[in-house]
Amino acid sequence: MRLVVDTNRIIAALVKDSISRKIMLSDKIDFLTIEITKQEIEEHRQELLYKTRLTGEQLNLVLSLLFSRILVASDIVVKSKMDEAKRIMDTIDPDDTPFVALAMAVENDGIWSDDKHFKQQNKIRIWETQDLLTLIRKS
């Protein structure tokens, strides 16, 4: 299975050893995300250090572990479907548009997100955390 993962799921996996982290580290699923994800995480670095109670070095190690499981797609790939994704998502949540564009640009099985905005479109299948937990437990 191959899924686009939104930034919030990566942050959830980073913040604590949780279901999200278990899913992210599962060998049953390959993950993809957009280039801006790393930048968004970096912008929240101080908040993440506070929430996780990790040192900077420990945070870097967990991030490195998580991103070893995530293919970061080039902006060029995302751009190829951005106009179509804008027609779908810009009136719902423009911040989610690049994830939809990536999902439309590459072969995948949908987007992993618990963000309800994604459910307001019907072009891309949305997988919630509970769906994936059930899936990896069955495997």
Side-chain angles (χ1 to χ4, degrees):
M1 173 176 271
R2 189 174 194 209
L3 295 176
V4 172
V5 59
D6 83 354
T7 307
N8 290 328
R9 292 297 86 217
I10 297 170
I11 289 173
L14 175 65
V15 169
K16 65 180 184 173
D17 192 5
S18 61
I19 293 170
S20 291
R21 189 178 296 175
K22 180 178 181 172
I23 292 167
M24 185 88 41
L25 297 177
S26 166
D27 61 358
K28 309 280 189 248
I29 307 168
D30 295 321
F31 296 101
L32 305 105
T33 198
I34 58 177
E35 284 186 6
I36 198 166
T37 298
K38 284 186 172 184
Q39 180 183 333
E40 288 179 349
I41 290 170
E42 224 18 73
E43 287 171 4
H44 295 281
R45 187 176 214 15
Q46 291 307 312
E47 180 184 350
L48 290 169
L49 286 168
Y50 175 76
K51 283 184 177 181
T52 62
R53 301 195 192 285
L54 296 173
T55 66
E57 187 176 318
Q58 290 169 324
L59 184 70
N60 289 342
L61 284 171
V62 176
L63 272 172
S64 180
L65 176 64
L66 293 176
F67 275 96
S68 73
R69 299 278 308 123
I70 304 168
L71 173 67
V72 180
S74 163
D75 285 342
I76 295 166
V77 172
V78 174
K79 189 175 183 178
S80 71
K81 292 292 185 176
M82 198 59 153
D83 289 340
E84 188 177 349
K86 283 181 180 184
R87 286 192 291 277
I88 295 167
M89 288 304 293
D90 272 8
T91 58
I92 300 169
D93 186 347
D95 291 340
D96 295 335
T97 301
F99 295 99
V100 171
L102 175 57
M104 293 185 337
V106 300
E107 189 175 323
N108 66 83
D109 298 292
I111 297 172
W112 175 24
S113 178
D114 290 336
D115 181 342
K116 300 302 178 201
H117 293 121
F118 282 110
K119 291 277 190 175
Q120 293 178 33
Q121 57 80 41
N122 58 8
K123 181 79 174 171
I124 307 295
R125 180 171 180 179
I126 305 304
W127 296 79
E128 292 183 338
T129 300
Q130 196 57 50
D131 301 328
L132 295 178
L133 181 61
T134 301
L135 184 84
I136 65 172
R137 282 183 175 162
K138 286 182 181 178
S139 301

